[in-house]
Amino acid sequence: MNAKPKEIVIANARIVLADRVIEQGWLALADGRIAEIGEGRAPAGADDAGGDLIMPGLIELHTDHLEAHYVPRPKVFWNPVAAVVSYDGQLATSGITTVFDSLRVWREDGAEEVDGRAGTLAAAIATARDADLLRADHFLHLRCEIPMPSVVEEARELVGRPDVRLMSLMDHTPGQRQFRDEVKLRDYYRGKGGGKTDAELDELFARRFEYQKAYAATNMREIVALAQGYNIPLASHDDTTEENVADAVRDGVAVAEFPTTIEAARGLHQAGIDILMGAPNVVRGGSHSGNIAAVDLAREGLLDILSSDYIPSSLLMGALHLPEHVPAIDLAAAIRTVTKAPADAVGLSDRGEIAVGKRADVIRVHVAGDVPVVRSVWREGGRVA
């Protein structure tokens, strides 16, 4: 869906560079790249941005929102290609031009209905891409639930695809990491559509304890080796303790997703691992699981990347809210958390900032009160929204 690029000049804009903001500037796009950046008056014939923000297209490393389009109601499975196209449109209108679709690589009896369907969704994304139906640039993020018996086998089925660019190491066994408080995990499952009874949860939790004891250590070694063999960056998930941090360092993790304690975040930062937190956490003012707030990490200089997680529109809103919560973070630094920082973390050196020669993935944003509105989106210089 990327229209043939043509030369475009956008004027009268606040242009967000990687290190500063040009308060009144102009931008030229040509041949799919950023061709020129200027301050003050633009060349004749430029499109007037009306003082709106012009910034790089947002880069999303972890979103499982595709699942909400594929299974919109319990036991309702939508056409997977149609689900991908709908989801992709929501991403684009949220300002996201590069996305790592987070697919669950595991099967578990009695658990979520999207479990074990990573292959179906990966194929649907490829079909939509090949038919030129997509506005954003899509890569795959394989979310590997380490204790699950079949996770290594399922990961092997997908890992050789060229669009697999990130793998994460997860363990949602009750009583640890994200859900150290088992009561909160029970509340989480009760709140999902068709909530489970206490007896069903007792059975589910007991099975997960058994799986962790039987499979987690071996599966961890094999998934790490698989990622390293294919040169795919690794992410850890919900690091909580010093032991979790030591494991992340040992495994060569590049990104730590959603650490749950300040102690873990400090250890990860000291090890040079980028810390990713949820933009909904910023917008809401805290974690829905009761863990450390993203803005508390930001105040300590421990926040590198934001992710929309389950609400695509939160990515831009969360970044724009950061300077309000943390005065030491200016607008340019806040936008880096959703553009340059995620690009650098996964080796996408061709995008993520407004700079001459970079991909012309650019968005125009109007801010009305606390709500940002994405007015225009260009991917490789072609208008997609």
Side-chain angles (χ1 to χ4, degrees):
M1 194 170 286
N2 198 9
K4 184 178 180 179
K6 63 180 181 178
E7 186 170 4
I8 298 168
V9 180
I10 306 164
N12 188 23
R14 298 181 66 209
I15 301 176
V16 184
L17 305 180
D19 58 353
R20 67 187 181 98
V21 178
I22 299 174
E23 291 299 332
Q24 185 173 22
W26 56 274
L27 183 68
L29 314 178
D31 298 321
R33 300 283 165 172
I34 295 170
E36 196 171 354
I37 304 164
E39 299 193 42
R41 180 173 294 183
D47 295 331
D48 190 335
D52 285 344
L53 292 166
I54 296 292
M55 64 179 70
L58 310 186
I59 297 175
E60 172 57 78
L61 296 186
H62 178 121
T63 176
D64 54 14
H65 193 62
L66 173 55
E67 296 168 0
H69 292 259
Y70 179 48
V71 188
R73 291 288 186 273
K75 305 186 186 309
V76 175
F77 291 86
W78 208 242
N79 177 292
V81 175
V84 167
V85 172
S86 172
Y87 155 74
D88 171 78
Q90 188 174 0
L91 296 175
T93 55
S94 298
I96 297 168
T97 54
T98 299
V99 59
F100 283 58
D101 302 307
S102 302
L103 305 182
R104 303 188 196 195
V105 185
W106 74 85
R107 297 185 186 92
E108 181 182 16
D109 293 340
E112 294 88 347
E113 292 174 313
V114 289
D115 291 354
R117 299 181 186 271
T120 298
L121 293 176
I125 292 164
T127 297
R129 181 191 296 115
D130 292 344
D132 197 25
L133 301 179
L134 301 179
R135 303 166 189 246
D137 200 9
H138 288 251
F139 298 105
L140 298 186
H141 169 177
L142 305 184
R143 303 174 64 209
C144 302
E145 184 69 13
I146 296 303
M148 292 298 124
S150 63
V151 67
V152 176
E153 175 189 349
E154 293 177 58
R156 284 198 180 112
E157 293 173 358
L158 294 167
V159 73
R161 298 171 56 101
D163 52 353
V164 174
R165 299 292 186 91
L166 184 64
M167 295 174 69
S168 55
L169 307 165
M170 305 193 306
D171 186 344
H172 288 94
T173 304
Q176 63 172 36
R177 294 185 179 256
Q178 180 181 2
F179 292 109
R180 285 181 294 168
D181 185 346
E182 188 177 305
V183 172
K184 290 188 179 295
L185 182 56
R186 287 179 177 273
D187 290 343
Y188 172 79
Y189 277 113
R190 289 191 191 103
K192 294 177 74 69
K196 297 181 182 299
T197 65
D198 281 336
E200 290 171 329
L201 289 176
D202 288 342
E203 181 181 350
L204 175 64
F205 290 3
R207 184 167 61 246
R208 286 191 175 177
F209 287 127
E210 292 173 4
Y211 284 164
Q212 187 190 53
K213 183 178 179 180
Y215 302 108
T218 299
N219 286 351
M220 175 72 83
R221 290 193 298 271
E222 294 197 26
I223 290 293
V224 169
L226 198 59
Q228 292 173 346
Y230 282 88
N231 199 29
I232 297 170
L234 276 169
S236 60
H237 198 77
D238 300 331
D239 294 313
T240 301
T241 66
E242 290 182 1
E243 182 181 3
N244 297 153
V245 174
D247 288 346
V249 173
R250 177 200 66 204
D251 295 332
V253 160
V255 179
E257 301 181 325
F258 319 115
T260 67
T261 64
I262 190 74
E263 294 79 13
R266 286 172 179 153
L268 293 160
H269 177 76
Q270 289 170 4
I273 296 172
D274 286 333
I275 295 173
L276 177 151
M277 293 292 284
N281 187 310
V282 175
V283 175
R284 295 178 66 252
S287 163
H288 74 276
S289 302
N291 297 313
I292 189 73
V295 293
D296 289 340
L297 295 188
R299 292 188 183 105
E300 295 259 351
L302 301 175
L303 173 65
D304 300 297
I305 300 167
L306 285 178
S307 161
S308 71
D309 198 5
Y310 55 94
I311 306 177
S313 62
S314 72
L315 193 59
L316 179 58
M317 184 177 288
L320 291 177
H321 282 194
L322 266 180
E324 300 172 14
H325 295 292
V326 188
I329 297 178
D330 62 16
L331 178 60
I335 297 304
R336 282 201 304 273
T337 67
V338 294
T339 54
K340 191 174 189 305
D344 290 347
V346 293
L348 292 177
S349 59
D350 62 343
R351 69 196 76 186
E353 62 179 312
I354 302 288
V356 173
K358 296 290 186 179
R359 274 175 53 128
D361 292 356
V362 175
I363 62 176
R364 175 185 170 187
V365 177
H366 179 74
V367 181
D370 289 335
V371 179
V373 178
V374 178
R375 285 183 159 170
S376 305
V377 180
W378 294 266
R379 179 164 69 88
E380 291 190 281
R383 180 79 179 269
V384 296

